[in-house]
Each structure stands twice: as structure tokens, then as C-alpha cells.
Amino acid sequence: MTHGDEDNTQIQMRWKLKNVLPGKMVRRCNDSLLKFGLLGFLGLFIIYLQYKPAPVTEEHIPDGLIEVRADENGRHLMKEFAAKRRKRRLLLNDACQNSTENHETLDIDQLDHIIVNDKYKALFCYVPKVACSQWKRVFLMMSGNVSDPKTLDEYSVHTTYSHLLRYLNTYEPGEIKHKIKNYKKFIMVRNPLDRLVSAFKNKFHGTGFKDARFKNIGKYIVRTYRKKFTEPVFGDDVTFLEFVRYVIDNKVGVRDEHWRSITDLCKPCQIDYDFIGKQETINEDADFIMSQMAPHIEFPVKPAVYGSSNTTKSTPFYLSQLPFGHVGRLWDIYRDDFVFFNYSFLKHVDKISYLVR
């Protein structure tokens, strides 16, 4: 820098310093001040960049889903479910790629568990023993044919009002293809062993036994799989071991929808579901599904006494009544459900040895 580039203040400062300091020290001091000034400016600029407020960007919402909550908590919830949705779908897609299920063609007759609502453009595969009654109640409300939800109890949704629901297998092939491609598609799943135990407890030792069909199945199980029985047989004392023998016997018993595999009911390798909900997280998953499907309808939550956690706790006890060979046969039947929906087969099985000691 020349004297012609300096302002009066710098010149005066240089001359004052010359009067008290040697010349070399003055030049060093002047250079140090310049370097310090440059470093200071650079430091402040870096701090500005580091703490500069980031521009507000909209959270990316996956295809097929909409954001219905604009507040901060809503956006956080959407982000959380987007990650959950992505993880569950990726796991399912990867598993399907390695399964023979992926190569099966979709038969129209196999779509009898997928409920359709054309008004809301929604498809939902209902699975018995996975809040099935509650979901049917929701779709009956969405249909607009039922104005008072109080009339929709656990039994009437399957009997009195069941004709008001329409299923995907009742449409023409072209319509089915269009709906699968363009409608939002949802499914709820559950740990297969918990679901099996829940079906046994409800249909043979609970309110479900009121159904004549399960009374007849109970009688058949006792007469077929019990070495000694006394007539008359009522079928109300079926043991879990006898029930499992019925289920695994050449897969004759497994055809009933209440313990038939979810893979067989909903065809997840042929139908690309937008969201996979789980019974184990039903409250938040159901709220999310409703927010995407019909935000004005509230999902009917059952009292805690009916929660899946009670069944989950008792499942190892029921499994401990089975020979290990029977447990292995259950794995064969429900293998795809465990793999496709990321459930651990050993979660309950590991506890059996402890219970039988």
C-alpha cells in the first residue's frame, strides 16, 4: 500500500508511532493490524453463515398422501410417519422381491377383503383380529348410509349393516385395475402368533363362540383331535393344542379368515399399499390413516382391556403348550407374514423354554 492510498488518519497514526518506536517495529505493527482486521472480518463472516436462519421449506409428503395439519406439530407428525411409511414399505418390497409371492398373478376372487369407498377414493384391506370391527364401522360411516355411530356395535357391522360395504372383487376388471392404481391403499397387520392366540380366545372361549359356525368347528376339533371324549360334545372346551392341530392339519383349518395369513388375505406383493399400519401401534397409525382418508371421522378406540398388549403377554403361555414341531409348522404357515411385515418369530418362542422348565 502506498502513501497515496492511505487516508489522513492512517498517516497521522504512522507518524505518531515513528516518534516513539523504531522504524521496523512500526512497519510490523502496521502489518499486524491489517492482518488482524482481515482475520476478524473473515471470522465474523463465518459466524454469520453458520447462524444464518435456514430458509423455510415445505416437508416433502410421499406420493399418495396429503398433509392435513399445517401447525408445527402436524408437520413433525407427518415427517415421522413419512419415515415410518418408507421403512415399512421398503422392507416389504425387498421381501417380496425374494419371494415366490411376487410372481403370482392377482385373482379377482382374492380381493374379497379389500373394502372400497369411491367417494373418498380409498381401499382398505381388513384383517380379522386386527381391529376388524372398528375399521368396518369407520367405512360404514364413510359410506353415508349410517348416521348414528352408536348403532354400529361389534356384531351389527358384520351382520345387519354388512351389505352396505362394497368389496374390490365385486367390480369389473378394468375398474379394479383403475382403483388399485389411483386410490389410496391402506392395510393393518399384526404379529401372526398374537393374532392366532387372539382368534382362539375369542372364537372358542369368548363372545365369538356365540356364532354357530365356531360351535361346529369346536365340535369337529374335539372329535377329531382328542383321543378320548364323551358325547354329547359341545365344543366349548377346545384346548389351544387341539386348535393348533386343526390349523396345521394339511392347512385345512387355516383357511378360515380369522387365522388365515395376512399375505393370503391382502396380497401385499401384488398391491402396493400406501401405508402399512400395525396393531401394536394402532392408536397413532389409525389416527394417521383417518387423517389421510376421512379426517372428520374419528377412529373408534376400544377400552384398554381389549388391547393387543394383553394377548401379547399371554402368547408365550399358549405356545408353551405346543410341541416344538407344532411351533415349527406355524412358522411354515405364517412365514411370509413374519418376513413381509418385519415381525420376530423368536420374540415369543424364546420365552417358551423358560415357561416349560
Side-chain angles (χ1 to χ4, degrees), residues 81-118:
F81 273 93
K84 180 187 290 187
R85 168 188 181 266
R86 191 180 306 111
K87 180 180 179 181
R88 290 176 179 176
R89 293 185 74 207
L90 283 174
L91 286 169
L92 174 59
N93 291 336
D94 289 345
C96 285
Q97 291 300 319
N98 299 315
S99 171
T100 56
E101 283 285 329
N102 195 47
H103 305 292
E104 290 189 6
T105 57
L106 195 60
D107 189 338
I108 291 179
D109 293 334
Q110 298 173 329
L111 305 176
D112 58 333
H113 276 68
I114 299 180
I115 305 174
V116 180
N117 187 286
D118 290 311

Side-chain angles (χ1 to χ4, degrees), residues 193 196 225 239-249 318-334 345 349 352:
L193 295 180
L196 185 70
Y225 302 99
T239 67
F240 187 67
L241 173 58
E242 292 168 343
F243 168 66
V244 170
R245 283 176 175 166
Y246 168 72
V247 170
I248 68 177
D249 187 5
Y318 284 96
L319 293 177
S320 69
Q321 302 170 27
L322 306 178
F324 275 99
H326 287 46
V327 177
R329 288 287 292 114
L330 291 177
W331 162 254
D332 291 336
I333 292 172
Y334 298 109
F345 179 69
V349 176
I352 297 177

Side-chain angles (χ1 to χ4, degrees), residues 50-311:
Q50 184 174 357
Y51 293 98
K52 179 183 178 181
V56 178
T57 57
E58 291 295 325
E59 190 71 50
H60 173 66
I61 307 305
D63 295 338
L65 302 182
I66 58 173
E67 182 174 11
V68 296
R69 303 174 186 177
D71 58 68
E72 182 179 351
N73 292 331
R75 284 195 295 272
H76 177 70
L77 181 65
M78 178 59 70
K79 182 178 180 180
E80 205 174 89
F81 273 93
K84 180 187 290 187
R85 168 188 181 266
R86 191 180 306 111
K87 180 180 179 181
R88 290 176 179 176
R89 293 185 74 207
L90 283 174
L91 286 169
L92 174 59
N93 291 336
D94 289 345
C96 285
Q97 291 300 319
N98 299 315
S99 171
T100 56
E101 283 285 329
N102 195 47
H103 305 292
E104 290 189 6
T105 57
L106 195 60
D107 189 338
I108 291 179
D109 293 334
Q110 298 173 329
L111 305 176
D112 58 333
H113 276 68
I114 299 180
I115 305 174
V116 180
N117 187 286
D118 290 311
K119 178 181 178 181
Y120 293 93
K121 299 186 183 304
L123 302 181
F124 181 84
C125 186
Y126 81 89
V127 178
K129 306 314 301 174
V130 188
C132 170
S133 301
Q134 293 156 278
W135 284 111
K136 284 191 173 183
R137 181 179 177 182
V138 164
F139 271 83
L140 284 168
M141 292 297 296
M142 288 168 59
S143 71
N145 294 316
V146 179
S147 57
D148 185 4
K150 295 179 182 178
T151 63
L152 300 173
D153 58 46
E154 186 175 350
Y155 305 102
S156 64
V157 296
H158 300 292
T159 54
T160 308
Y161 298 100
S162 62
H163 68 282
L164 298 176
L165 295 176
R166 190 166 181 187
Y167 300 89
L168 194 57
N169 66 319
T170 63
Y171 290 85
E172 294 297 322
E175 293 179 292
I176 292 174
K177 185 177 180 180
H178 172 80
K179 295 178 193 304
I180 290 177
K181 181 180 179 180
N182 296 286
Y183 284 18
K184 296 171 189 172
K185 298 169 288 294
F186 303 95
I187 182 177
M188 288 290 297
V189 300
R190 185 178 187 178
N191 182 293
L193 295 180
D194 288 341
R195 182 170 166 249
L196 185 70
V197 169
S198 177
F200 167 72
K201 291 166 65 176
N202 176 257
K203 301 306 177 185
F204 299 101
H205 296 281
T207 56
F209 194 68
K210 296 177 182 178
D211 189 327
R213 181 160 58 104
F214 295 106
K215 288 182 180 180
N216 291 331
I217 293 177
K219 292 176 184 178
Y220 173 84
I221 290 175
V222 170
R223 291 188 175 116
T224 306
Y225 302 99
R226 187 175 297 177
K227 291 183 178 179
K228 295 181 180 180
F229 61 88
T230 304
E231 294 287 358
V233 171
F234 298 103
D236 58 350
D237 59 345
V238 173
T239 67
F240 187 67
L241 173 58
E242 292 168 343
F243 168 66
V244 170
R245 283 176 175 166
Y246 168 72
V247 170
I248 68 177
D249 187 5
N250 298 319
K251 297 187 178 181
V252 174
V254 82
R255 301 311 300 171
D256 187 281
E257 66 172 355
H258 292 88
W259 45 86
R260 191 168 146 200
S261 75
I262 298 173
T263 300
D264 202 23
L265 292 173
C266 299
K267 299 299 178 184
C269 288
Q270 287 77 35
I271 298 176
D272 186 19
Y273 289 95
D274 293 294
F275 186 76
I276 303 166
K278 293 193 172 187
Q279 176 77 9
E280 294 76 12
T281 52
I282 188 171
N283 289 337
E284 52 263 44
D285 287 359
D287 283 347
F288 177 77
I289 290 175
M290 294 311 303
S291 74
Q292 304 302 308
M293 195 165 57
H296 63 288
I297 297 178
E298 185 176 353
F299 182 76
V301 180
K302 282 188 175 182
V305 68
Y306 294 102
S308 61
S309 60
N310 293 323
T311 297

Side-chain angles (χ1 to χ4, degrees), residues 38-58:
L38 290 172
L39 289 174
F41 174 77
L42 182 61
L44 290 173
F45 182 69
I46 292 173
I47 292 173
Y48 167 76
L49 291 179
Q50 184 174 357
Y51 293 98
K52 179 183 178 181
V56 178
T57 57
E58 291 295 325

